[in-house]
Amino acid sequence: MSYRIRLTLLLFLFISYIPAYHQADAASALNEPKLFKKLDQLSSEQVIIVTADTQRSITGRLYVYEKQESGWKRQLGPIPVVLGNKGLGKTKEGDGKTPLGTYTLGTAFGSSNQAPTGLKTDYRTAGADDYWIDTPGSPDYNSWVAYEGNPKERWSSFERLNNPLYQYAMVINYNMNPVVSGKGSAIFMHIWRASNKPTEGCIAMSQDNLLRVMKMIDPDLNPKIRIGVGSQIY
């Protein structure tokens, strides 16, 4: 094959590749000027954005934005996350959906006895007697309870917080103030099982990415998380 033919073939392959690359990039891109107008309404200087393509999506993308003197700047992302096994739009306990909307963040926690180095938020160790209660009608619903007895005798449904997926995790304050019985509980950011295995309604990611996100969260910036589908994120 002559040099000219080889060069022409290489140019053809390169040109053919460009549109596919840009299409993939555009699919995951945010309209940041439009997004920043929304972020200005959230009374926060640090916002985690989680977005998915459709309400039935079980995967999505996460970004971290921080407001600086010159305006909003992306600090992290996009990073891949998995969502509820029934998509997004939680309305009730056990529906397998990740909630939509904007929420404050609760405590960082984990089954690890030591907080991650560089963490700015409070950290609570989850031991063998620590549970998150998801029994509708219980006065403990959607709260962390330490209990040394048999949890099955006290609640019909609960999460054991001493869990490998919660080696590191952070509470998302969904259905917290006030707590509405049966609206949904135990919504966290935590470690995923795998990149193709959804959650029961939480937002999960690789341990490395989770730690990156957790270490960036600064309580002094009134951090929030906003979860949306497509253009609804704006």
Side-chain angles (χ1 to χ4, degrees), residues 69-218:
E69 289 185 4
S70 58
W72 288 96
K73 299 293 182 184
R74 187 194 303 185
Q75 303 297 307
L76 181 65
I79 63 173
V81 296
V82 292
L83 307 167
N85 55 43
K86 298 298 182 181
L88 299 94
K90 177 170 284 298
T91 60
K92 62 183 179 179
E93 186 66 44
D95 62 9
K97 297 180 180 181
T98 298
L100 295 166
T102 303
Y103 308 97
T104 58
L105 298 170
T107 188
F109 71 94
S111 56
S112 175
N113 291 327
Q114 292 188 334
T117 303
L119 196 68
K120 302 180 184 74
T121 62
D122 292 337
Y123 179 84
R124 185 175 178 182
T125 299
D129 297 326
D130 290 312
Y131 307 92
W132 198 282
I133 312 309
D134 47 24
T135 303
S138 168
D140 301 317
Y141 182 67
N142 202 22
S143 66
W144 179 322
V145 177
Y147 181 61
E148 294 182 359
N150 183 350
K152 294 180 181 180
E153 294 178 354
R154 184 169 173 179
W155 305 289
S156 61
S157 184
F158 54 85
E159 292 259 3
R160 294 184 183 273
L161 296 179
N162 189 260
N163 180 324
L165 296 180
Y166 303 157
Q167 181 177 353
Y168 301 108
M170 177 163 278
V171 175
I172 297 172
N173 287 331
Y174 168 76
N175 191 27
M176 289 289 197
N177 188 25
V179 174
V180 177
S181 180
K183 189 178 178 180
S185 62
I187 303 299
F188 311 136
M189 288 191 291
H190 66 75
I191 300 167
W192 63 17
R193 292 182 177 87
S195 61
N196 61 348
K197 292 187 177 180
T199 70
E200 297 296 321
C202 293
I203 297 166
M205 63 204 83
S206 71
Q207 179 171 309
D208 286 346
N209 280 331
L210 177 64
L211 288 172
R212 291 169 71 194
V213 173
M214 290 175 65
K215 290 176 183 180
M216 294 186 74
I217 295 170
D218 186 346

Side-chain angles (χ1 to χ4, degrees), residues 14-28:
F14 177 73
I15 292 169
S16 299
Y17 173 75
I18 290 175
Y21 173 83
H22 282 299
Q23 288 171 8
D25 186 59
S28 63

